[in-house]
Amino acid sequence: MKLTTAGESHGKMLLGILEGVPSNLEIDLDEIDRYLALRQSGYGRGGRQKIECDRVEILSGVRNKLTLGSPIAFAVKNSDYENWKEYMAPEGCDTAKRTLTKVRPGHADLTGILKYDQTDARNILERASARETAVRVVGGSIARQYLDKLGVKISGYVKSVGGIADENEYGFSMLESAKNNRLFMLDSDKEQEACALIDEAKANGDTLGGIIEIRISGLKSGFGSCMQYSTKLDSILCGALMSVQAIKGVEVGQGFKSACLKGSLVHDEIYYDKGYFRKTNNAGGIEGGMSNGEEIVLRAAMKPIPTLMSGLKTVDILTKQPVTAAGERSDVIAICAAEIILESVAASALAEVVSSRLGGDNMREVTERYNALK
């Protein structure tokens, strides 16, 4: 199962092709649109979210809500394209009116210009933009529906914003309720503090980041492999999360904390009573690159958005003179969007691992093979 995406932030539309989905998977379009809407939600978002109202359009691979086994092609249209058509039209446009040469620190602007031999950062930022993640949410939502048929669930919440952290532990069943809250935080007092911090950052023309926890429940043991470094489940999932814009760190289970503890406080002891089990889950559900049947626990650190309204010091690539970085319409924080995106990319990556092991051309075969596993 492989997702390929295309499209620019202010182009006509974003496109995705998802290969390897078995036939007869029922696709819930309303569910996909719900996650697209959640991706646009959250306290601290900017003006772009008031322009777009993302909806998926399935172009091929689905008939009467059932997958055919062929590649699924889909699109999410950019409503803002009408405002940018004269600068972005592939058929011909006036690029000089929207040239960006005051490259922004923390973005792909400068490195992309040098790599792709450009003189306008817009030719880089339009693709590097997190707007691309809208179609990753679509692909991930389809993957989520595939996993859901096997009893595998994915959810998450925001653990911290700008250093204001929720140190509580929550059962998996509580996580989904976080999406009803302004910042997807489960501790209302911490969320209120975080909202006040966002207001302060906005007033100062600054931005914030935070930490997100993603959990996967119901996955049986043995997915991923210890036989090749490229097939280790933690490597695959962490790589997927790190592929999301603004994510600068990922950990599994205790993660970085385990480096500060003795082994007796880190490794999950094994017991047997009609089956193997562990009383702790410090490993985060993955041992030796394979799922061990426990809940998979992933955390990701999101850096502050690098487009600051107050601007940062940089250089104009044409004059080579010091200037203040160009401003683009931006958010103070987009951590709720990131949480939804991280759930989605985790679903896509996990579905690829699961489908690789199970095979199956149709969902009946897939579910029978999964149910037969211990």
Side-chain angles (χ1 to χ4, degrees):
M1 199 175 294
K2 179 183 177 182
L3 174 65
T4 302
T5 72
E8 288 76 46
S9 180
H10 297 98
K12 293 181 180 180
M13 63 186 69
L14 302 164
L15 298 164
I17 296 178
L18 185 59
E19 303 174 72
V21 181
S23 66
N24 296 329
L25 173 65
E26 185 173 357
I27 300 298
D28 187 339
L29 295 177
D30 291 338
E31 180 78 351
I32 297 173
D33 286 342
R34 185 175 81 86
Y35 280 105
L36 283 172
L38 285 169
R39 177 192 165 278
Q40 294 186 277
S41 67
Y43 198 76
R45 299 305 302 275
R48 180 73 187 265
Q49 310 315 315
K50 299 176 182 178
I51 297 172
E52 304 293 351
C53 185
D54 290 342
R55 297 288 185 272
V56 66
E57 181 181 358
I58 303 291
L59 305 175
S60 69
V62 177
R63 184 185 183 208
N64 192 30
K65 298 183 180 180
L66 294 175
T67 57
L68 301 174
S70 55
I72 301 172
F74 50 85
V76 177
K77 293 183 178 178
N78 289 328
S79 299
D80 207 11
Y81 176 68
E82 289 304 313
N83 301 321
W84 285 77
K85 188 174 182 179
E86 61 178 305
Y87 323 117
M88 290 294 299
E91 301 85 0
C93 61
D94 187 353
T95 59
K97 289 185 177 180
R98 284 285 183 170
T99 299
L100 193 152
T101 59
K102 298 176 181 179
V103 291
R104 301 161 299 166
H107 274 281
D109 296 358
L110 179 57
T111 305
I113 280 174
L114 297 174
K115 175 178 174 64
Y116 292 102
D117 194 22
Q118 300 287 342
T119 57
D120 180 1
R122 185 155 303 285
N123 292 335
I124 305 302
L125 72 88
E126 284 289 334
R127 179 59 183 168
S129 166
R131 175 72 184 144
E132 175 263 352
T133 59
V135 281
R136 285 210 262 176
V137 169
V138 175
S141 296
I142 295 172
R144 185 197 298 266
Q145 292 179 30
Y146 166 85
L147 294 169
D148 189 64
K149 296 297 183 184
L150 308 179
V152 179
K153 309 287 185 182
I154 299 177
S155 193
Y157 70 107
V158 172
K159 279 193 72 68
S160 76
V161 169
I164 297 174
D166 178 358
E167 302 295 348
N168 296 316
E169 294 185 7
Y170 302 98
F172 186 87
S173 61
M174 295 183 64
L175 302 186
E176 203 62 21
S177 65
K179 294 180 177 63
N180 298 322
N181 302 333
R182 291 183 293 175
L183 279 174
F184 291 7
M185 297 182 79
L186 287 167
D187 185 317
S188 57
D189 292 335
K190 294 294 183 182
E191 185 172 69
Q192 188 173 347
E193 286 183 51
C195 287
L197 186 63
I198 291 170
D199 292 340
E200 180 183 333
K202 183 177 181 179
N204 294 329
D206 218 330
T207 58
L208 295 169
I211 296 174
I212 297 159
E213 182 168 297
I214 302 297
R215 307 246 288 274
I216 301 169
S217 177
L219 182 67
K220 294 184 178 182
S221 66
F223 287 93
S225 174
C226 61
M227 299 304 181
Q228 273 288 358
Y229 67 89
S230 59
T231 57
K232 291 177 180 288
L233 182 59
D234 41 4
S235 172
I236 292 167
L237 290 175
C238 289
L241 268 57
M242 282 294 294
S243 75
V244 175
Q245 291 86 337
I247 299 302
K248 299 301 286 184
V250 179
E251 64 179 9
V252 182
Q254 278 192 334
F256 289 101
K257 181 181 177 182
S258 63
C260 306
L261 301 172
K262 294 178 180 178
S264 57
L265 300 175
V266 172
H267 303 295
D268 304 304
E269 295 180 313
I270 300 170
Y271 301 86
Y272 187 87
D273 183 8
K274 299 180 181 179
Y276 297 105
F277 69 96
R278 297 157 180 80
K279 294 181 180 179
T280 58
N281 188 25
N282 298 327
I286 301 175
E287 291 177 306
M290 299 169 287
S291 61
N292 64 12
E294 302 292 335
E295 224 173 62
I296 292 177
V297 182
L298 307 165
R299 278 178 292 276
M302 180 187 187
K303 71 177 182 180
I305 292 171
T307 301
L308 276 66
M309 295 301 99
S310 57
L312 293 171
K313 293 178 181 179
T314 188
V315 173
D316 188 306
I317 61 168
L318 295 183
T319 67
K320 306 300 188 292
Q321 295 299 307
V323 291
T324 300
E328 290 279 314
R329 184 171 46 218
S330 183
D331 307 305
V332 178
I333 189 170
I335 200 159
C336 293
E339 194 281 327
I340 295 298
I341 296 161
L342 290 175
E343 284 189 28
S344 300
V345 299
S348 292
L350 182 58
E352 188 169 354
V353 172
V354 170
S355 63
S356 176
R357 183 183 183 191
L358 297 179
D361 295 312
N362 59 71
M363 286 305 297
R364 178 181 55 78
E365 290 178 343
V366 172
T367 53
E368 287 176 354
R369 292 173 185 181
Y370 187 76
N371 291 336
L373 296 175
K374 292 183 180 180

